[in-house]
Amino acid sequence: MEGLKVWRLSSSIARPSNLRQLFGFGAPSPLVLRCLNTVAAANAATNTRNRRSSTSTSTPTSTSDREAVRAIRLKKVEQLRSKGLEPYGYKWDRSHSARELQEVYKDLNNGEELDGESHHVSIAGRIVARRAFGKLAFLTLRDDSGTIQLYCEKERLLNDQFEQLKTLVDIGDILGASGSIKRTEKGELSVKVDSFSILTKSLLPLPDKFHGLTDTDKRYRQRYVDMIANPEVADIFRKRAMIMKEIRKTVESRGFVEVETPVLQGAAGGADARPFVTYHNSLGRDLYLRIATELHLKRMLVGGFEKVYEIGRIFRNEGISTRHNPEFTTIEMYEAYSDYQTMMDMAEEIVTQCALAVHGKLAVDYQGTEIQLQRPWRRETMHNLVKEVTGIDFTELEDDLKVAKDAVLKAIGVGIDSKDKSSIEACPSLGHLLNEVFEISVEPKLLQPTFVLDYPIEISPLAKPHRRHPGLTERFELFICGRELANAFSELTDPLDQRARLEEQVRQHNKKRAETVADGTEEKNKNEDSMYEVTLDDDFLTALEYGMPPASGMGLGIDRLVMLLTDSASIRDVIAFPVLKISQ
Amino acid sequence: MDSCASEPEPASSQTLTKNALKGERRPMANDDAVDPAQYLRNRIQRLALQKESGLNPYPHKFEVSMSATEFIRKFGSLHVGEHVENTEISLAGRVLNKRSSSSKLYFYDLLGDGAKIQVMAEARHSDTDENEFAKYHSAVKRGDIVGICGFPRYNLFAPGYATGKSKRGELSIFPRSLVVLAPCLHMLPKHTITSNSAGAQHNHSWTPGTTRNPETYVLRDQETRYRQRYLDLMLNPEVQKMFRTRAKIISYYRNFLDNLGFVEVETPVMTMAAGGAAARPFITHHNELDMKLCMRISLELYLKKLVIGGFDRVYEIGKVFRNEGMDLTHLPEFTTCEFYMAYADYNDLMDLIEKLLSGMVKELTGSYKIKYHGNGFDSEPIEINFTPPFRRIDLIEELESRANLSIPKDLSTETANRFLLEACEKFDVKCLAPHTTTRLLDKLVGHFLEETCINPTFIINYPEIMSPLAKWHRSKPGLTERFELFVNKRELCNAYTELNDPEVQRQRFAEQLMDRQMGDEEAMVLDESFCTALEYGLPPTAGLGMGIDRLAMLFTDSPNVKEVTLFPTMKPQD
């Protein structure tokens, strides 16, 4: 039974050589009907003498194999019904989950059995492995907590159930079973089954590792198959749920109230991004999907809520990549009478609480780099960071943009690509230039958590001017692993200043758009970044005129936080059903 | 309500500001006399003067030592005249009312985080001299957000104390300093007392499950309340409580499911095909991928895929979108919670939801009964009783007995269709074309059964033809193991033992296609990827969907769903 035990562990750590060795261990050539998704299991299957024809064995890769399996299993559905058994059961009462059993009976000795009423248990789950001998069969059953072995003896099972087990049950079926508890001589905790029921007959064979793991596109498209084959995939989403719960707990314990603001809006504001457009039939008008929750949450502060937050989906009509999915989840939070210093503490608190909830410690491994989340995190201005990395002191640069650009190109021009160079050339202001240099030279180096403070006013249209440094704002972004995780500011509350800044933003955008139109062909324009309209949210400006208390606010990308805390390389690994290109 | 006419119109667009900016300088006039546009111009002028003189009218931060609520909790037990002058506290909020009895004494009503407290500013307690004091306070306007440092005390000048009604006076904060943190540039609407609202005007005692009377609100105009929700929240104290109640409903729901081991997940809003319900979706377009996307109309199919993937208990609370007309109970985006529980059936879910809802009502209102204006604000409120167990009625049996009909067993036949059409005509039950059996039956159920469901009632065992995703009944042919929960005649939950036989699921989709071909555009579309997923095996599972907005409506005595939606979709303004 060791083989099965190893199999259970193997899905994530398959080391074929070890496994092969272990599979060969002891057991007198067991009949491996079909083992799920491990290299070793497949190897073992191929090596078995008693390879069964249809339902058994390896890799039905081609469509015809799949269809053949399906046809055979559909026959079994009929057979079951003809025996008066429903292959799609209605319910099953479980007394325990697999993990609960493993815990309750962890001290049971090898070879020991517990009969009697109080040790009669009932479980349910998917059959993921099976081996049958003459009058004995072992099945591995997996539920959402873990796995347990079903120990099936012919004499013990009622009527012809053993026969059923051999002929009608396939790997992938969902079974309910009840019986007593036994730990095998080999140490495998088992339910010694006295009756079972096929709860759901599966029609399609589960993929094995060759197939399921390498085909990334299919992994995302049929995430449920990925989860069945690789339980650690499901774990990421359990951790994601833990993280969400921890974030809510953290902010609610500080008095924040959760609200829901609209997804469909007349004007999409609060960020600079291309929105999705849709059409409302009965209103006869276009609506935009929100690109941020900011402007509506600020209205809540005007309305008298002092601490509000929203966790919700944001939509941006942009390309997809390992860091970008068109829809993603953020938390935005706003606190009256506070400033951006408060939000730095809040960011530290949220991320460390989540790390502790998931890992129990603050040193986190991300893609081979150890990230130290112990507080406090480094807080440094953008000016100082740029100076530190590039040697350029922006406070000493002339106001002349041309001169400044030359100085920048002289300092960092060697070793950057032409795209970055033209971005530098295109900067319309010193503030943009500083930010560009920061993004090119500093950002990728910020692996350990760093608050980058005091962004230029030109690129921060919703942030309050810095109370001491003209030209800057009280804004920070949090970087971990070279990625922006959070963006926060002391909120701009002056309605006149806000109007002027938003109007300037619209002007800039339209100018860029006009330039694109002027020098591009029709076809090219369609996908240009700037070819969408930016409108002013007048209702928001009116709200500010009624007076919004001094406040700070923060947006934090939850998908990126989950990536960090689950060591996931791509955003698609943390979104259950990511947007994909149309399959061919 | 002709009294509305005397309310100043709230500013609703930029034109006001723009005009104001262009306006010439005029001396400040008495607040109540000026027109709103002039008022705004005056305020903006003052702002400009402040900025010119180097003052920042929008300070960066104000250190608040406690919220208004904490203030009341902490000092509510002070004795008359007792004051704690050494206790320096600071708090902040919006000035809702301002009165002055002399240049040395100003009273303010301050609203902070949902609680109201009185401010009694006396020159002798102030850090500044009398001149400065008078000058500063005369410039503070109704609507301004102010920060106060001072000490607590019972104010013996409070109206109740003076008239002998109150022996204690009113708990107040006595400022040593007061600073405007954000000026309100617009004139706030004021309460206008009308004959029938005079008695109830300051109804601060609203609690979930009791009735409201929006006619007594300071801001009554519905359009303005919804379009400028921040004014509604600011001026109508109940409204904040309603949205806090909404947050509590969701939080209770979440905790209840979490405690049962359910895992919260997020499934996509934008998908290739919108399934899981019968409704018209919103369509959008992804530019770079040049791909049409639909916005979800239900969470069902993705959540079932996750159950297939091994999540035995899973739920999502999220927005769903339907491209349909708007009315009192329908908005294009709304919030639902769907949960799925492997190895359970619809009987288990009836027990579970009974426990969840009755527990929630008890927790939020203190009893099992709520008051609700089920027949509009003009009629007497009704009482809805959530004491478990809820009534359970069998759809066909009950319909047959109430209408004295004998409905054909096989509903898929032409005979059955004719029978129901005749029944509709006989009882004068209106059903618009197409007259599919599903639609006819639905109308009859609405007429005969749903109308009787004031207290929570499960209508159970819906016919297969009405329920393409529900599992056939284990003992009643032609029916499914499905229930809907009705409260106050409206559907609140829809649940079933999930259909998990992929072959049967395909047939059901095919039958839907026939209805579609008959002209029923809302019939469900085949989702092949979902059928494929079922072939990998969905365990026996029961699932339930509940409308969060409708639940919030019940708790907050709101017959209109816009009342419980912060920023509802509105028709464009001309």
Side-chain angles (χ1 to χ4, degrees), chain A residues 66 70 74 81 86 88-92 94 124-126 143-144 172 174 199-200 202-206 222 224-225 227-228 234 237-238 240-241 244-245 248 257-264 274 276-283 285 289 296 299-300 302-306 313 315 317-320 326-327 329 337-339 342 464-467 474 493-496 499 526-527 538-539 542-543 545-550 577 579-582, chain B residues 10-14 17 51 58-62 64 92-94 112-113 143 145 181-186 188 230-231 233-234 240 244 246-247 250 254 258 263-264 266-270 272 280 282-289 291 295-296 302 305-306 308-312 316 319 321 323-326 332-333 335 343-345 348 471-474 481 500-503 506 529 532-533 535-540 566-567 569-572:
Chain A
R66 224 170 103 106
R70 199 167 166 278
L74 276 171
R81 286 203 169 121
E86 177 50 55
Y88 299 97
Y90 281 80
K91 75 165 281 170
W92 186 263
R94 286 192 282 185
R126 195 180 288 274
D143 64 16
D144 72 356
I174 290 161
L199 298 175
T200 300
S202 70
L203 299 184
L204 291 177
L206 292 174
Q222 289 183 287
Y224 52 92
V225 179
M227 286 171 171
I228 299 169
F237 296 96
R238 286 180 215 287
R240 184 175 175 121
M244 294 284 252
K245 207 165 153 181
R248 277 207 172 84
V257 178
E258 184 169 20
V259 296
E260 294 165 272
T261 66
V263 170
L264 299 170
R274 180 203 283 266
F276 283 96
V277 191
T278 186
Y279 184 78
H280 189 281
N281 291 2
S282 76
L283 286 182
R285 70 180 290 199
L289 274 65
H296 281 90
R299 285 169 169 91
M300 302 301 293
V302 175
F305 278 85
E306 292 180 359
R313 225 65 70 78
F315 307 84
N317 199 343
E318 289 160 2
I320 54 177
E327 58 179 273
T329 306
Y337 311 115
S338 72
D339 60 15
T342 313
K464 206 164 209 166
H466 198 285
R467 65 192 86 179
E474 296 198 349
T493 48
D494 181 340
L496 304 180
R499 177 178 294 279
K526 233 175 72 184
N527 284 318
D538 267 310
D539 288 337
T542 306
E545 287 171 3
Y546 279 95
M548 176 175 130
F577 302 96
V579 169
L580 300 165
K581 292 189 180 114
I582 295 165
Chain B
S12 59
S13 78
Q14 81 190 106
T17 325
K51 284 181 187 170
Y58 295 95
H60 284 72
K61 176 179 165 75
F62 180 80
V64 169
R94 190 182 291 274
D113 219 20
I145 290 178
L181 301 174
C184 177
L185 304 184
H186 294 284
L188 282 189
Y230 50 90
L231 287 180
L233 292 165
M234 193 190 296
Q240 266 208 31
R244 285 175 197 275
R246 186 182 166 115
I250 294 177
R254 204 170 249 136
D258 285 347
V263 176
E264 184 172 14
E266 293 167 272
T267 64
V269 170
M270 299 190 299
M272 304 285 281
R280 187 201 291 266
F282 281 97
I283 310 288
T284 186
H285 186 261
H286 190 287
N287 279 53
E288 200 177 288
L289 300 178
M291 184 163 78
M295 294 180 75
R296 65 182 175 194
Y302 278 107
K305 283 181 184 175
L306 289 174
I308 294 168
F311 284 88
D312 286 347
E316 178 168 12
K319 290 278 179 71
F321 307 83
N323 200 345
E324 291 162 0
M326 300 190 287
E333 67 174 283
T335 306
Y343 310 111
D345 62 14
D348 297 320
K471 194 161 186 167
W472 67 92
H473 197 285
R474 65 193 85 179
E481 297 200 347
N500 58 349
D501 180 334
E503 295 297 297
R506 283 207 167 82
S529 83
T532 305
E535 294 184 336
Y536 285 95
L538 170 69
L566 274 173
F567 302 96
T569 309
M570 304 288 284
K571 295 197 177 77

Side-chain angles (χ1 to χ4, degrees), chain B residues 142-387:
Chain B
R142 203 169 151 254
D144 286 356
I145 290 178
V146 298
I148 294 167
C149 297
F151 56 90
R153 181 180 177 183
Y154 270 92
N155 154 28
L156 305 181
F157 292 89
Y161 188 77
T163 57
K165 272 189 197 160
S166 158
K167 287 246 153 57
R168 306 188 68 191
E170 190 171 354
L171 175 64
S172 303
I173 181 161
F174 286 64
R176 296 205 185 276
S177 71
L178 180 148
V179 57
V180 174
L181 301 174
C184 177
L185 304 184
H186 294 284
M187 201 188 270
L188 282 189
K190 266 195 177 159
H191 204 290
T192 44
I193 294 168
T194 60
S195 52
N196 64 354
S197 68
Q201 58 169 299
H202 283 299
N203 180 13
H204 280 266
S205 57
W206 181 83
T207 53
T210 63
T211 57
R212 296 185 298 127
N213 184 0
E215 284 303 324
T216 62
Y217 283 3
V218 175
L219 180 67
R220 287 189 294 280
D221 178 62
Q222 245 190 18
E223 284 278 308
T224 312
R225 286 186 52 214
Y226 300 153
R227 283 187 200 278
Q228 292 178 272
R229 181 69 84 184
Y230 50 90
L231 287 180
D232 190 29
L233 292 165
M234 193 190 296
L235 295 165
N236 302 328
E238 282 170 17
V239 177
Q240 266 208 31
K241 287 192 184 167
M242 288 166 62
F243 285 101
R244 285 175 197 275
T245 301
R246 186 182 166 115
K248 279 185 194 150
I249 290 169
I250 294 177
S251 168
Y252 186 95
Y253 210 119
R254 204 170 249 136
N255 286 336
F256 187 95
L257 293 178
D258 285 347
N259 288 338
L260 288 175
F262 283 84
V263 176
E264 184 172 14
V265 295
E266 293 167 272
T267 64
V269 170
M270 299 190 299
T271 61
M272 304 285 281
R280 187 201 291 266
F282 281 97
I283 310 288
T284 186
H285 186 261
H286 190 287
N287 279 53
E288 200 177 288
L289 300 178
D290 193 15
M291 184 163 78
K292 177 187 132 180
L293 291 167
C294 302
M295 294 180 75
R296 65 182 175 194
I297 53 174
S298 125
L299 316 175
E300 180 156 352
L301 304 188
Y302 278 107
L303 289 176
K304 285 191 202 168
K305 283 181 184 175
L306 289 174
V307 180
I308 294 168
F311 284 88
D312 286 347
R313 293 181 180 189
V314 72
Y315 75 101
E316 178 168 12
I317 297 177
K319 290 278 179 71
V320 166
F321 307 83
R322 297 188 181 175
N323 200 345
E324 291 162 0
M326 300 190 287
D327 61 29
L328 283 181
T329 52
H330 294 91
L331 282 174
E333 67 174 283
F334 55 97
T335 306
T336 62
C337 174
E338 287 190 24
F339 64 83
Y340 292 82
M341 189 173 183
Y343 310 111
D345 62 14
Y346 79 143
N347 293 309
D348 297 320
L349 288 200
M350 277 190 264
D351 295 343
L352 187 151
I353 203 69
E354 216 167 62
K355 202 170 151 217
L356 196 167
L357 282 178
S358 58
M360 186 189 285
V361 171
K362 191 80 197 270
E363 166 87 14
L364 265 65
T365 72
S367 95
Y368 283 126
K369 294 169 185 167
I370 64 167
K371 295 270 195 213
Y372 187 78
H373 280 96
N375 305 307
F377 280 109
D378 299 335
S379 313
E380 280 299 300
I382 55 168
E383 185 180 88
I384 301 174
N385 188 345
F386 282 86
T387 309

Side-chain angles (χ1 to χ4, degrees), chain B residues 99-116:
Chain B
R99 299 183 307 280
S100 65
S101 50
S102 75
S103 64
K104 292 179 193 167
L105 182 58
Y106 288 85
F107 295 97
Y108 300 95
D109 290 335
L110 193 76
L111 182 72
D113 219 20
K116 211 168 97 175

Side-chain angles (χ1 to χ4, degrees), chain A residues 79-96:
Chain A
Q79 275 175 290
L80 280 164
R81 286 203 169 121
S82 70
K83 288 172 188 269
L85 296 169
E86 177 50 55
Y88 299 97
Y90 281 80
K91 75 165 281 170
W92 186 263
D93 284 320
R94 286 192 282 185
S95 65
H96 294 81

Side-chain angles (χ1 to χ4, degrees), chain A residues 81 88, chain B residues 464 468 470-472 499-511 534:
Chain A
R81 286 203 169 121
Y88 299 97
Chain B
E464 276 180 17
K471 194 161 186 167
W472 67 92
L499 177 53
N500 58 349
D501 180 334
E503 295 297 297
V504 177
Q505 183 66 77
R506 283 207 167 82
Q507 276 165 31
R508 295 270 187 86
F509 277 133
E511 284 152 20
L534 283 187

Side-chain angles (χ1 to χ4, degrees), chain A residues 522-540:
Chain A
E522 190 89 353
E523 201 37 45
K524 187 185 154 212
N525 285 344
K526 233 175 72 184
N527 284 318
E528 273 303 319
D529 271 355
S530 53
M531 287 310 293
Y532 57 93
E533 265 189 80
V534 171
T535 44
L536 213 56
D537 187 342
D538 267 310
D539 288 337
F540 166 65

